[in-house]
Amino acid sequence: MFGLSLSTFRERWQLFLGAILTVVIGVALVQSSLLILISAAVPEIPAGLSEAAANRLRDGYTGAIVLLAMTLGIAAFLAVFIVSSTFAFTISQRRRDLALLRLVGGSRGQLRRLLLSEALLLGVLGTGIGVPAGLVVMRVQSWLLTDLGFLPDVFAPRWQDWILGVSAGVGIGVALLGVLSASRRASKVRPLEALRDTGAAARVMTFSRWFFGILFLAGTAALLIVAPLAGPDGAIPMSINAAITASIGLTALSPLIVPLVGRVLGLVLRPSTLGGLAQANLRDGVRRSASTAAPLLVLVALVLGMSGSLATISLADKEDLARTVTADLVVPSAGATAPGVAVASTEVTVPVVATISKHDKEKDDGTDALVIDADAYRQLHSRAPLSGSLADLHGMTVATTDYAVGDTITLRVGDQEQERRVVAVVAQAVNGGTDYLLPRDSVPPAALADGEAETFVKAAPGVDPATLRAALPGALPVHDWIERRASAHDSMNSGIMTVLMGLAGLYALMAVVNAVVIAAAARKAEFAAARVTGLTRRQVVGAALIESWAVAVIGLLLGGVAAAGTLTGIGAAMGKLTGVTVYAVPWSALGLVVLGAFAVVGLTSVATSLAATRPAPVSPVGARE
């Protein structure tokens, strides 16, 4: 069987090219991301660095670690998804060849071993190319993360020998997982049914499609129900995972949806000859249309889901600050003394290390705390604690987003380790923020001197804030401060989207091109028959283009449905947290995805249909199967 697999690989390499490239990129990305992630998670701390400076250095890698973890998850998911969909489509295109193999004496087990051997060859080849490619990707990825501000300029990833085993496991594992379900399904089809394209061979909606489609859509509904009950740290991953589960569920059920959408599009396409032909092909080639629409569906779900979630969080943060911060001005320094100042609240962000006990084990967590004067803070921030009172925040006490009133926690502030009693539980910040509020009188002066200070100012009655601003160097109106703060977060979010959208777009591009190429390779006789009946070559290519664009519309619509679920979940979560439900639709990302999808699908369709119609129409029509 291995020799037969090798022969198939040599003769039909075009069918496997997209899957090989997917495995190569998957191996390269996983290898690169893991090496950078480990180097960032355990950075080299220069000798002689203070504890506070060391904590700041470690915190500087947090954004990169989160982004790399997301990259790893999405790369693994897309690699398995695209390889499996490619193999499923390839096997369906080869069902007659596989049926002949069964008719000449091949057993179901031998058929499965043949397909698994092909996957093994694909995985070995993809791993062999992906490992050296990963070294190049690591350099590019490190440069990109440094350029976007996620990593310091001095960062250098460290090579680990064990990564070779991980890369081999990823490449071969992705290939075998991708073909496992399709090989099992192909081995169950009776050979005569496959030859005649009847019975189980002609059935697109299999039991596994029904099962996984309903299962993942039910999982999506569960995630969207639970997401509003979690804080921002839980709502964001739940909502993004909802986009993934929704895209898998809709992809599994797409053979049901494609004909329905095709009928609707038929109202527009049917009046013209080419449109009518495209609509008939769309209705007849359900498996082909579903395979082409699947990567577009996932691309739209991920890109719009993630970008919409980040934009919604940013908008909710601005709305929340505008409602709860009652100051008129913000001064980027400690203290604000000038005639006309009614209340001034100086807030200093300092690094702290919290000792957290979980499962009878203790670990140190480096984070930030906000040092405040409780009376002034309460006058300029209207949000009340969830429990307890900030009036009790003095001495060795703390207000926190976690724990309960009366608990005792250990914090290391500067060089001092302190036992503090929780006197208030405050709501978690929407977009960043600190986990602890500390009273000023309990923080060492050296720690305050090393912190970053801002002073919120309220003008006295009858005093114009604009006049007061002129007397306070660097002061900003509070709405400008909110916009600047949001802009800083948006800059980081745009960096995240640059990396992840590029990753998702690259995978989708390969998958779409591969699906269109595989489909066109099997349609030479169909195109020739259309030309023999009177259509010109240009008309056949035009009908194929219209059909491919209709499939793109289907993928975009289904992906939009999955992304809408993500926005619903994150919007509801932000509404529960802030009291105001907002949604931000990423129109620019949507426009870019739509234009890119139509361009890629259209160009690939035209190129492949031109190649398929190059021979004289009599040759493919008269050729034996």
Side-chain angles (χ1 to χ4, degrees):
M1 282 298 155
F2 188 79
L4 186 58
S5 300
L6 192 59
S7 300
T8 304
F9 230 81
R10 284 198 303 264
E11 293 177 6
R12 299 196 174 189
W13 60 269
Q14 300 94 333
L15 296 178
F16 302 100
L17 185 59
I20 292 173
L21 289 176
T22 301
V23 173
V24 168
I25 294 177
V27 169
L29 273 172
V30 169
Q31 174 182 295
S32 170
S33 299
L34 265 179
L35 289 174
I36 299 174
L37 178 62
I38 291 172
S39 300
V42 189
E44 295 181 350
I45 306 298
L49 209 62
S50 67
E51 184 69 23
N55 288 336
R56 288 180 183 274
L57 181 61
R58 295 187 186 96
D59 291 344
Y61 290 101
T62 302
I65 292 171
V66 173
L67 179 56
L68 289 167
M70 294 175 68
T71 301
L72 276 171
I74 292 175
F77 161 70
L78 288 175
V80 173
F81 178 86
I82 292 174
V83 170
S84 62
S85 62
T86 298
F87 257 111
F89 189 32
T90 301
I91 290 172
S92 72
Q93 298 292 83
R94 296 167 54 199
R95 59 185 179 274
R96 294 198 175 195
D97 294 345
L98 298 176
L100 287 174
L101 183 64
R102 292 286 310 282
L103 285 175
V104 297
S107 65
R108 289 182 175 179
Q110 288 175 319
L111 181 62
R112 291 193 65 188
R113 286 196 295 275
L114 169 68
L115 297 175
L116 288 172
S117 297
E118 292 175 358
L120 179 62
L121 282 171
L122 185 151
V124 170
L125 184 59
T127 301
I129 301 173
V131 169
L135 299 176
V136 178
V137 172
M138 183 171 66
R139 292 188 178 183
V140 175
Q141 200 172 12
S142 298
W143 168 81
L144 182 60
L145 291 171
T146 301
D147 188 63
L148 293 172
F150 289 98
L151 291 173
D153 295 336
V154 297
F155 176 79
R158 301 186 296 274
W159 173 260
Q160 307 283 344
D161 290 337
W162 52 260
I163 200 68
L164 294 174
V166 174
S167 298
V170 169
I172 297 174
V174 163
L176 292 177
L177 282 175
V179 77
L180 203 59
S181 176
S183 65
R184 184 185 299 111
R185 185 165 60 250
S187 65
K188 291 181 179 179
V189 177
R190 296 176 180 177
L192 289 178
E193 290 180 347
L195 285 174
R196 298 174 181 175
D197 203 15
T198 59
R203 190 182 306 122
V204 181
M205 280 305 300
T206 59
F207 172 79
S208 61
R209 279 187 175 271
W210 280 106
F211 176 78
F212 286 110
I214 295 173
L215 176 66
F216 278 99
L217 289 182
T220 302
L223 286 171
L224 295 179
I225 292 172
V226 175
L229 306 178
D233 292 340
I236 296 173
M238 283 184 183
S239 298
I240 293 176
N241 286 334
I244 294 175
T245 55
S247 61
I248 295 175
L250 290 173
T251 298
L253 299 178
S254 59
L256 291 177
I257 304 171
V258 166
L260 296 177
V261 180
R263 290 180 183 177
V264 176
L265 294 176
L267 299 176
V268 180
L269 300 176
R270 198 174 299 141
S272 68
T273 302
L274 296 184
L277 179 60
Q279 194 263 344
N281 288 333
L282 189 68
R283 185 180 61 247
D284 185 61
V286 173
R287 184 182 281 110
R288 178 178 66 241
S289 301
S291 297
T292 307
L296 290 176
L297 191 163
V298 175
L299 172 66
V300 174
L302 287 178
V303 171
L304 297 189
M306 286 188 291
S307 59
S309 294
L310 294 175
T312 298
I313 292 170
S314 179
L315 181 59
D317 184 46
K318 290 196 289 186
E319 295 285 340
D320 183 53
L321 289 173
R323 289 188 309 108
T324 59
V325 177
T326 58
D328 296 316
L329 302 170
V330 180
V331 181
S333 61
T337 57
V341 173
V343 182
S345 174
T346 297
E347 304 169 10
V348 185
T349 302
V350 299
V352 298
V353 177
T355 301
I356 301 173
S357 299
K358 286 187 176 181
H359 308 296
D360 296 328
K361 294 182 179 180
E362 292 187 346
K363 71 171 185 176
D364 290 340
D365 180 32
T367 183
D368 287 330
L370 193 65
V371 181
I372 63 173
D373 177 86
D375 292 335
Y377 183 87
R378 285 186 299 151
Q379 294 181 63
L380 299 184
H381 297 269
S382 62
R383 175 174 290 172
L386 301 177
S387 61
S389 173
L390 292 181
D392 299 326
L393 191 64
H394 51 79
M396 286 299 167
T397 59
V398 62
T400 179
T401 57
D402 204 352
Y403 300 95
V405 174
D407 288 349
T408 300
I409 61 176
T410 302
L411 290 178
R412 186 162 68 249
V413 185
D415 297 330
Q416 298 182 12
E417 189 166 286
Q418 305 165 342
E419 293 286 334
R420 291 178 175 267
R421 182 171 54 87
V422 177
V423 295
V425 178
V426 296
Q428 191 173 5
V430 175
N431 202 359
T434 56
D435 296 324
Y436 303 98
L437 297 179
L438 305 179
R440 178 180 294 274
D441 58 6
S442 66
V443 176
L448 286 174
D450 291 338
E452 298 178 2
E454 286 182 322
T455 301
F456 292 75
V457 175
K458 181 73 172 178
V463 176
D464 184 9
T467 303
L468 183 58
R469 180 187 176 189
L472 298 171
L476 287 175
V478 71
H479 58 82
D480 289 349
W481 173 80
I482 291 173
E483 289 295 333
R484 179 175 294 186
R485 184 178 185 273
S487 178
H489 286 292
D490 291 343
S491 178
M492 177 174 286
N493 292 343
S494 65
I496 293 174
M497 286 309 304
T498 299
V499 176
L500 297 182
M501 185 174 177
L503 170 63
L506 177 63
Y507 271 114
L509 173 66
M510 292 190 307
V512 170
V513 171
N514 191 51
V516 175
V517 169
I518 293 174
R523 300 181 70 184
K524 292 182 179 180
E526 176 188 330
F527 289 156
R531 293 177 66 190
V532 168
T533 57
L535 292 181
T536 65
R537 186 184 182 192
R538 177 178 296 180
Q539 288 176 315
V540 172
V541 172
L545 176 61
I546 295 172
E547 179 188 348
S548 66
W549 276 346
V551 172
V553 170
I554 293 172
L556 293 171
L557 288 176
L558 294 181
V561 171
T566 298
L567 293 181
T568 300
I570 199 69
M574 294 302 102
K576 185 174 181 61
L577 189 65
T578 65
V580 178
T581 301
V582 294
Y583 302 97
V585 180
W587 295 111
S588 57
L590 176 60
L592 183 62
V593 168
V594 170
L595 291 177
F598 275 96
V600 170
V601 171
L603 290 174
T604 307
S605 175
V606 169
T608 52
S609 55
L610 281 174
T613 55
R614 184 174 294 115
V618 172
S619 301
V621 170
R624 294 184 178 180
E625 294 188 1

